Amino acid sequence: MGGPLVLALGADAPFLGPQPDYFAAEADAGIAAVRAQIEAMPVPSNTYLLAVGTGDPVAIDGADWTSEVLAPLRRAFAFATGAARKLRASGDRGSIVFLLPSSALLSDGPPSARSVLLRALLGMAEALRAELGSSPVRTSIVFHAVGEDPIELGARLEHAVAERPMYSLSADLDGARIRGYFAPLFAAIDAAGAGPPLPDIGPMAMVYDLDRVGTRRS
Amino acid sequence: MSHPVHPGKTALVTGGASGIGLGIARVLLDAGLHVIVADVRADHLETARAALAEAGDRALFLSLDVGNRDDWQRARETVEERYGRLHILCLNAGVGLLGSMIDSDEADWMWSTIVNLAGVTNGVDALLPHMLAHGEPGHVIATSSMGGLIVANDGGIYSSAKFGVVALMEELRRALAGTSVSASVLCPAAVNTNIFDHVRMRPEAFAAKSVPDERMLEEAEAFARGILSHGRSPLEVGEMVRAAIAADAPYVFTDSAVRPTLAARYNALLASVGA
């Protein structure tokens, strides 16, 4: 079957061993050009992987937003949607995996422009899973922790490709940290009070339904 | 740290000539501040000039494309020459580009990302150093969206940018701790605005590869307006923003009815712990 086609973002993106094919394109290649390049590449495994490193903690006030955020975000968008277009057209089962640092979800290191890129990638990944919901293609988000054992990470990646859950959390993303992040959000929502009732626009946030996220508990 | 919502202080609101931005501008003017109403749309600026006429010379109307760094440089010069000091920066301009991210093209991506994300980073770059340098209490608030915390199946490009805006303001708030300036993020749900009339607002530089026919366009806009017309009024949201700045609240939401959708994501994450 072969390995995945991998786009590595950042010099410290997790090394996935010699098996994968690493995707390369001109740094300023347009979205259409990247998609065309992916379309032309055989990927028998039907697995595409964005491997993103933690990156340097570039301070907010010293950031070059174009190189730190906008350019890599566009590159990831072109790669992920290129893979999605190809897989959707084939009608085959396939996987698009975003391998993101755990700071994409919960940032507690020095405030950094990198966090903006990582969170935007997280939103992109979740939205792609939502859009592909009715297709045989799934997007999974595998978070990796600083210093995580490569063998354990490899096992979680294998599981993600096989079982295609929405999330695979690294050990540093525990319940207490998740609750700690969401608590002020819920408090602020509750403080807003209910707005006027809206017309029914159908089910919201279906991608997060527990019977769709693919955890072992669901 | 005391807050900057006081008569005589100065605010700048991007996307300030319509929708939520106009609501914020009006509330801050009513609170006695000087307000620079910045917007890319000349027609909206003219409408806002008429709507805010009673504020007299406390309202200044400024043409500003948030994606253009030269425009931001001119905005900074205007602030310094006219008012000396800026105290509140509302990075509100946004476009509600919906549709398939898989089928979207370069223009879709660039327009949404430049306005919704670079429009915020450009504003921070241009004016935060000024706000820190003068040392008086200041506040930066950016408008993200509920789409910055949860996704829908037709809002991928939008959510990608808005997730980034939430992260930016969270990081900025942490970075600014202990300084004279703070930061918050506004995550509106349904508000009675024109944000989804995006096809008609699309600039030539980001022209869509295919434009729906007039009938389809009118139907889509009418559907969006039909939903949003039931939402909060921009003035209500402006008041929420004023209160949040005064209280230095990190997050501002406009409707508690969205709690179940955020809870769905929260529960999905918790269910994945150790899985």
Side-chain angles (χ1 to χ4, degrees):
Chain A
M1 288 290 288
L5 180 66
V6 177
L7 173 66
L9 287 180
D12 63 342
F15 179 61
L16 302 168
Q19 188 183 24
D21 292 323
Y22 281 89
F23 179 78
E26 296 295 324
D28 58 352
I31 290 169
V34 170
R35 285 172 171 169
Q37 196 174 336
I38 290 171
E39 177 63 33
M41 295 178 72
V43 182
S45 67
N46 280 347
T47 301
Y48 296 80
L49 200 158
L50 274 94
V52 185
T54 306
D56 295 326
V58 176
I60 301 283
D61 61 1
D64 175 343
W65 294 103
T66 299
S67 64
E68 295 287 337
V69 176
L70 301 176
L73 193 59
R74 174 170 168 267
R75 194 170 171 80
F77 174 77
F79 180 84
T81 56
R85 289 159 79 104
K86 184 174 180 181
L87 290 169
R88 185 182 62 178
S90 75
D92 294 335
R93 187 181 194 273
S95 287
I96 302 168
V97 179
F98 284 64
L99 178 57
L100 301 177
S102 57
S103 55
L105 180 64
L106 302 176
S107 172
D108 61 1
S112 162
R114 184 74 171 180
S115 296
V116 179
L117 169 66
L118 298 178
R119 191 77 65 80
L121 287 169
L122 176 56
M124 183 189 300
E126 292 189 5
L128 193 57
R129 184 174 175 100
E131 184 173 342
L132 290 167
S134 60
S135 81
V137 184
R138 291 287 177 275
T139 301
S140 297
I141 302 150
V142 176
F143 294 101
H144 62 89
V146 174
E148 182 170 0
D149 180 346
I151 294 174
E152 288 180 12
L153 178 57
R156 288 201 297 117
L157 264 176
E158 274 187 33
H159 176 264
V161 171
E163 302 298 327
R164 308 189 305 169
M166 184 164 184
Y167 304 116
S168 172
L169 304 188
S170 45
D172 60 331
L173 295 172
D174 58 21
R177 288 189 68 204
I178 291 169
R179 282 188 285 273
Y181 175 74
F182 277 86
L185 294 171
F186 286 129
I189 286 179
D190 293 341
L198 297 175
D200 183 10
I201 55 173
M204 296 290 290
M206 288 175 59
V207 71
Y208 303 115
D209 286 353
L210 289 181
D211 60 354
R212 291 171 184 250
V213 296
T215 69
R216 289 173 187 161
R217 296 183 197 180
S218 60
Chain B
M1 188 183 77
S2 61
H3 66 76
V5 187
H6 293 294
K9 302 299 184 186
T10 302
L12 186 148
V13 185
T14 68
S18 71
I20 291 174
L22 182 58
I24 296 171
R26 186 185 287 277
V27 166
L28 295 179
L29 285 166
D30 288 347
L33 281 81
H34 300 276
V35 177
I36 301 168
V37 179
D39 207 293
V40 72
R41 289 282 299 263
D43 55 338
H44 287 175
L45 282 169
E46 283 312 304
T47 304
R49 190 190 302 273
L52 301 174
E54 63 192 39
D57 63 4
R58 285 193 298 109
L60 176 72
F61 300 87
L62 180 71
S63 176
L64 172 71
D65 175 353
V66 295
N68 185 319
R69 296 178 68 87
D70 292 338
D71 277 12
W72 275 108
Q73 180 59 33
R74 281 192 285 276
R76 177 176 173 150
E77 290 166 4
T78 299
V79 164
E80 292 178 341
E81 291 166 8
R82 178 103 177 217
Y83 302 101
R85 295 174 178 185
L86 183 73
H87 303 90
I88 297 174
L89 176 59
C90 299
L91 298 165
N92 168 76
V95 289
L97 185 67
L98 298 184
S100 164
M101 66 192 295
I102 299 171
D103 295 326
S104 61
D105 63 12
E106 185 96 32
D108 298 327
W109 171 260
M110 293 304 287
W111 187 39
S112 176
T113 308
I114 286 176
V115 176
N116 289 328
L117 183 53
V120 177
T121 59
N122 286 344
V124 168
D125 274 355
L127 285 164
L128 181 59
H130 158 90
M131 295 171 73
L132 286 167
H134 68 60
E136 295 182 6
H139 205 100
V140 181
I141 183 165
T143 301
S144 177
S145 166
M146 278 311 295
L149 291 164
I150 54 170
V151 300
N153 62 0
D154 63 351
I157 291 180
Y158 181 74
S159 275
S160 186
K162 293 298 189 179
F163 267 60
V165 171
V166 171
L168 173 59
M169 300 317 289
E170 289 174 350
E171 294 293 85
L172 196 56
R173 185 176 177 89
R174 293 200 300 129
L176 291 171
T179 74
S180 58
V181 181
S182 190
S184 307
V185 63
L186 168 65
C187 296
V191 180
N192 189 7
T193 73
N194 60 354
I195 189 167
F196 292 113
D197 290 0
H198 56 80
V199 175
R200 295 184 202 281
M201 292 195 281
R202 199 160 170 143
E204 188 65 28
F206 303 116
K209 66 180 175 195
S210 62
V211 179
D213 67 40
E214 186 62 22
R215 187 180 60 80
M216 288 176 60
L217 190 56
E218 286 178 0
E219 285 177 1
E221 290 175 350
F223 177 76
R225 277 197 296 270
I227 302 296
L228 295 183
S229 65
H230 293 269
R232 293 276 193 194
S233 78
L235 266 182
E236 283 181 286
V237 178
E239 181 53 39
M240 291 171 167
V241 167
R242 185 207 62 75
I245 295 172
D248 190 23
Y251 300 104
V252 190
F253 292 91
T254 62
D255 191 346
S256 61
V258 298
R259 190 185 220 279
T261 54
L262 185 62
R265 180 169 182 246
Y266 169 74
N267 289 330
L269 284 162
L270 282 181
S272 303
V273 173

